[in-house]
Amino acid sequence: MSESKERNERHKKAMQRKKEYIDGRIAEATIDKGLMVVLTGNGKGKSSSAFGMLARSVGHGLHCGVVQFIKGQWECGEQMLFQENPLVEFHVMNTGFTWETQDREKDIEAAVSTWGKAETLLKNEDVEVVVLDELTYMLTYGYLDKERVLNALENRPSQQHVIVTGRSASKELIEIADTVTELGESKHAFYDGVKVQKGIDY
Ligand code: ATP
Ligand code: MG
C-alpha cells in the first residue's frame, strides 16, 4: 500500500471510531429542558457570547428577554439591534459601573428595580430565553439579595433558558447552572493602550 493510501485508511478508521463514539453520545442525550448557562472569567467574550445565543434564539423565532445590569459608557450594538425587535424585551439598568456612580444607595436602588424586570421575565412561561448580562456584579457587590436571585433562577419555567454573564460568578450560581464557561484572558488589546473599538467591544 502506498504511503498516502495507508494514511487515508488510518484516517478513515480513526474517523469511524470517532463517529461511533459521538453518535453514541448523541443517542444518550435525550433530556429536553431549559438550561442555565453561566459565562464568567476575566477573558473577553462573555456578553458577546450571550448575545450570540440571543441572535440564534431570535433567528429561530423564540421570545426573549434581556436585562443588562450595567449600562456601559457606549450604547452597545446589540441593544441597537435587538431593542426594537418584537421578539425581544430589552431592559438596561440606568446606572453605570459602581466606580462611576460612586453612590452605593443609588446603585442598590437601581439594581433592585432592574431585578424586578428580570423576575417578571423569569416567571413568564412565554419567554423562552432570558439574558441577564453582568448580573454577577450585583451579587458580588451585595446589591441584590442572593437568595432572592437564586430562588427566581431555580424556580423559572422548566423549559426557559437563562444566560448569566459577568466576572467572578459565585459558587452558588455555578452550582445551579447546567453549562458554565470560564473565559480566560490570554491577551487584551486594552493593555497595549488600544481604546474600545465599535463592533468589537461594544
Ligand atoms: P464582550 O462584551 O466583548 O463579550 P465581556 O462581556 O467578556 O466582553 P466585560 O467584562 O463585560 O467583558 O467587559 C466589557 C468591555 O470591556 C468590553 O469592551 C471588552 O472588550 C472589555 N474587556 C473585556 N475583557 C477585558 C480585559 N480583560 N481587559 C480590559 N478590557 C476588557
Ligand atoms: Mg460583559
Side-chain angles (χ1 to χ4, degrees):
M1 212 187 291
S2 75
E3 203 180 309
S4 79
K5 212 169 162 195
E6 202 179 313
R7 194 170 170 195
N8 278 343
E9 277 302 311
R10 269 205 319 273
H11 177 81
K12 195 173 171 191
K13 280 207 178 101
M15 288 305 119
Q16 273 168 349
R17 279 198 300 275
K18 191 168 186 163
K19 180 171 162 48
E20 273 165 31
Y21 172 75
I22 292 173
D23 286 350
R25 293 302 293 264
I26 291 172
E28 276 169 30
T30 54
I31 302 166
D32 209 5
K33 63 172 263 193
L35 293 174
M36 175 167 161
V37 179
V38 171
L39 301 160
T40 191
N42 292 332
K44 171 177 162 56
K46 299 174 288 294
S47 299
S48 43
S49 167
F51 282 112
M53 284 180 256
L54 183 76
R56 285 182 170 171
S57 303
V58 170
H60 285 292
L62 302 181
H63 291 92
C64 303
V66 177
V67 184
Q68 284 195 296
F69 284 89
I70 285 168
K71 179 174 173 284
Q73 226 173 319
W74 303 272
E75 194 177 8
C76 72
E78 292 96 330
Q79 185 181 352
M80 294 176 197
L81 182 64
F82 290 118
Q83 75 183 349
E84 302 301 337
N85 191 305
L87 287 171
V88 184
E89 188 181 317
F90 209 112
H91 301 282
V92 185
M93 195 164 93
N94 60 5
T95 56
F97 265 105
T98 186
W99 56 82
E100 273 155 13
T101 61
Q102 298 173 11
D103 183 339
R104 190 175 153 80
E105 287 305 313
K106 203 173 136 225
D107 282 349
I108 291 176
E109 209 178 286
V112 171
S113 133
T114 308
W115 176 251
K117 312 274 187 212
E119 254 175 1
T120 305
L121 290 168
L122 293 168
K123 281 184 189 147
N124 186 347
E125 281 192 10
D126 297 332
V127 178
E128 293 157 290
V129 179
V130 179
V131 174
L132 302 175
D133 191 35
E134 320 297 352
L135 173 67
T136 60
Y137 303 99
M138 302 301 109
L139 298 171
T140 40
Y141 292 142
Y143 289 179
L144 294 178
D145 180 64
K146 199 167 70 180
E147 289 310 316
R148 184 174 165 186
V149 170
L150 293 172
N151 194 42
L153 288 168
E154 285 192 296
N155 293 305
R156 71 188 193 280
S158 63
Q159 296 301 314
Q160 186 184 71
H161 300 302
V162 60
I163 305 158
V164 173
T165 81
R167 295 175 195 209
S168 314
S170 66
K171 64 174 193 318
E172 291 95 339
L173 276 180
I174 289 172
E175 245 166 54
I176 65 166
D178 300 282
T179 298
V180 179
T181 299
E182 178 143 6
L183 291 101
E185 183 192 75
S186 301
K187 240 184 173 186
H188 198 289
F190 176 70
Y191 297 106
D192 286 329
V194 183
K195 58 183 192 180
V196 291
Q197 297 294 310
K198 192 186 283 180
I200 299 298
D201 292 306
Y202 68 100

